[in-house]
Amino acid sequence: MTSPLIDRLRSLLPPDAVVTEPDALAPGGQDMSRSAPSGVAAVLVRPRTTEQVAEVLRTADELQVPVVPQGARSGLVGAAAAMEGAVLLDLSRMDRILRIDAVDGVAVVQPGVVIADLQRAAAAQGLFYAPDPASADRATVGGTIATNAGGMRCVKYGVTRDAVRSLEVVLADGTVVRTRPATAKGVAGLDLTSLIVGSEGVLAVVTEATLALLPAPGPSRAVAGTFRTVADAIAAAGTIAAGPRLPSTLEFLDGVALRGVRIVLPEIPLPADATAWLIAVTDVREGAEEDLESFAAAFRDHGAITVARAEDPHAVEDLFAARRALNPALTAVRGGATHGDLAVPRSQLPALVEGAAEIQSRLGVEISLAGHVGDGNLHPTIVFDPSDAAEAAAARQAEGELLALAQTLGGTVAGEHGIGTLKLDAIAGELAPRILELQHGVKAVFDPKGILNPGRKLGGI
Ligand SMILES: Cc1cc2nc3c(=O)[nH]c(=O)nc-3n(C[C@H](O)[C@H](O)[C@H](O)COP(=O)(O)OP(=O)(O)OC[C@H]3O[C@@H](n4cnc5c(N)ncnc54)[C@H](O)[C@@H]3O)c2cc1C
């Protein structure tokens, strides 16, 4: 296949970096939402250097062709799905860890480095990369920066943005810039690093990142428990989160999720009357015993049926198995499951639970509210029978009502997975018209011709 775009790219990049065969292009079409709108791209490019990324963007900018940056395509909102006639810019071959520096407490990495590989490389030097999305064995540094990914440890360590010191990015016209010095502190000018983090590829392409590393924490220990009611478990989580002993992970499963866990992991002992499950992990080097005692006391004070302790990381993983099985468990309940990602202020979690129960009984659907309870970031999931059109329609309606409920409670429709295309309709419910106008203005400054992931994240160009 030839076209001015493809001829130009072939003249600028190594032969194996430009892919046009439809069979090779097709797998790059979707992300893990598997339901986002997508089109047939013109070409897939696989650069290995920043200069090659710059050549691609210069060409696309000149020919006014859309560019879709892609990491591992583990995203859940369609932000990396293919677009009709676009250049798919696959950054996964830029996968080198360039430097790990204990004195500065940083890792300098290319965008295609997989998060689990970075975590392992840091650990080998007694250091710790804190961001830990559940997709860590697949998701890339570039993708997690562009989505400001969260995960299991945010209650203590924050989100990806908190670990980003400085970025090398390629702008839409092919200019290569570094956002700021990689110092731990620094307030010169506006904070464009933070602006690019979470921008879902609509402002710039990340080609190198300087990421903060921490001293390795102590071995994980945990308390997990079961409860008769969701309200009890949420109350226990609230007591722990508001207390002086901060867990590194505080996760929750509700009754629908536990039904699924009983199907996929029947060997896990769960009392018959348990409709909620909570785990609180500590990773402190000193005071772990006091942490565990205080977490267990909160569990008991809020009526836990069972309270179990894990004294080392292997035992923690065993306790955590129920949480890790969440997605297959929810699918096992009725065959189909929506993907939710809301966040509310923690104080509003009881109201979210009540509101979801009202939606559930009014629409006759089943809603699971499992997730990162320590951050107020739950993954409400409606389980449904995909072969039943009425059930599927009710699930979609419930999904929309849950988004609106979160916004009514001062929360957001996108805690950590992003907006992409799937949540575009909902953003006006939480961003004032003037704020949205400012954001479109920022997009136009970065990308006046609108070639970078157009229409995603903000809508419009
Ligand atoms: C099983 C599973 C578990 C998950 N768990 C979590 C979780 O715990 N927390 C969480 O936050 N998310 C989670 N996710 C969602 C997903 O893994 C994250 O959104 C992740 O950050 C995406 O990384 P990626 O490399 O796959 O990026 P992609 O999906 O390829 O891309 C995501 C976005 O980043 C942009 N992008 C990619 N690379 C670059 C770059 N170099 N420069 C500029 N833009 C770029 C893309 O254009 C797109 O907008 C999960 C997904 C799955 C399937």
Side-chain angles (χ1 to χ4, degrees):
M1 184 194 276
T2 71
S3 72
L5 168 71
I6 290 165
D7 293 345
R8 267 287 277 290
L9 291 172
R10 285 210 172 108
S11 73
L12 293 166
L13 302 177
D16 69 337
V18 182
V19 179
T20 56
E21 294 75 25
D23 283 356
L25 268 174
Q30 260 300 345
D31 68 358
M32 287 299 283
S33 70
R34 296 203 182 95
S35 59
S38 66
V40 180
V43 58
L44 168 69
V45 293
R46 299 187 289 189
R48 288 193 190 274
T49 67
T50 298
E51 189 42 40
Q52 289 173 2
V53 174
E55 295 283 22
V56 173
L57 288 181
R58 270 180 223 124
T59 304
D61 187 64
E62 200 179 304
L63 300 178
Q64 297 203 34
V65 178
V67 176
V68 179
Q70 295 186 323
R73 285 179 294 102
S74 69
L76 295 169
V77 291
M83 197 178 280
E84 192 65 31
V87 176
L88 301 182
L89 179 57
D90 172 3
L91 282 311
S92 63
R93 286 186 170 188
M94 294 179 69
D95 61 355
R96 284 186 302 135
I97 296 176
L98 303 172
R99 189 161 65 89
I100 289 189
D101 188 323
V103 174
D104 287 337
V106 295
V108 181
V109 300
Q110 290 190 311
V113 170
V114 170
I115 296 301
D117 292 338
L118 172 58
Q119 289 170 339
R120 275 190 289 270
Q125 303 204 25
L127 297 166
F128 178 64
Y129 182 60
D132 187 34
S135 50
D137 57 355
R138 174 172 177 180
T140 64
V141 164
T144 54
I145 289 173
T147 54
N148 190 20
M152 302 289 184
R153 302 196 282 234
C154 302
V155 65
K156 179 168 181 182
Y157 296 103
V159 290
T160 297
R161 175 174 286 118
D162 298 302
V164 178
R165 289 265 181 96
S166 175
L167 297 173
E168 176 195 83
V169 297
V170 183
L171 301 175
D173 64 2
T175 311
V176 181
V177 288
R178 193 166 290 278
T179 54
R180 63 177 297 275
T183 48
K185 289 174 159 183
V187 291
L190 298 176
D191 186 358
L192 297 189
T193 314
S194 288
L195 187 59
I196 290 167
V197 177
S199 64
E200 297 181 33
V202 306
L203 297 183
V205 177
V206 175
T207 47
E208 190 184 290
T210 305
L211 302 169
L213 301 178
L214 299 170
S220 300
R221 296 171 66 186
V223 176
T226 54
F227 296 81
R228 276 183 198 85
T229 70
V230 164
D232 287 345
I234 295 280
T239 300
I240 292 169
R245 310 201 76 93
L246 189 61
S248 55
T249 293
L250 185 56
E251 296 285 318
F252 156 75
L253 300 176
D254 73 343
V256 179
L258 289 183
R259 260 173 56 211
V261 171
R262 288 185 178 100
I263 297 168
V264 297
L265 293 175
E267 66 278 15
I268 292 188
L270 290 168
D273 55 346
T275 65
W277 175 96
L278 196 62
I279 188 166
V281 183
T282 181
D283 65 359
V284 294
R285 287 199 173 275
E286 285 175 22
E289 189 55 36
E290 291 81 351
D291 278 2
L292 296 180
E293 279 168 17
S294 127
F295 302 158
F299 280 45
R300 283 192 296 269
D301 289 350
H302 291 284
I305 314 170
T306 57
V307 180
R309 279 177 56 145
E311 304 294 352
D312 62 54
H314 289 298
V316 172
E317 269 310 303
D318 288 346
L319 276 189
F320 219 83
R323 172 65 180 89
R324 292 223 187 273
L326 178 61
N327 289 338
L330 288 172
T331 308
V333 176
R334 292 193 65 73
T338 60
H339 295 294
D341 175 38
L342 309 176
V344 295
R346 278 196 306 244
S347 59
Q348 297 301 315
L349 282 168
L352 181 71
V353 171
E354 267 179 40
E358 188 279 320
I359 294 171
Q360 178 165 274
S361 62
R362 180 164 41 82
L363 297 181
V365 291
E366 276 193 284
I367 301 173
S368 163
L369 284 178
H372 315 295
V373 67
D375 308 319
N377 174 204
L378 300 183
H379 294 310
T381 303
I382 298 113
V383 295
F384 64 99
D385 175 355
S387 67
D388 182 326
E391 261 193 43
R396 273 193 301 278
Q397 185 176 342
E399 214 179 353
E401 292 199 17
L402 282 163
L403 298 182
L405 171 65
Q407 291 176 328
T408 309
L409 297 173
T412 175
V413 298
E416 57 177 14
H417 295 163
I419 293 291
T421 50
L422 292 181
K423 292 202 175 156
L424 274 178
D425 289 346
I427 55 177
E430 63 191 65
L431 298 176
R434 180 72 183 119
I435 292 294
L436 267 175
E437 191 182 290
L438 284 170
Q439 297 201 15
H440 282 288
V442 170
K443 164 72 174 167
V445 169
F446 270 81
D447 180 15
K449 294 183 188 167
I451 64 155
L452 278 174
N453 232 358
R456 290 170 178 174
K457 183 73 171 176
L458 295 174
I461 59 161

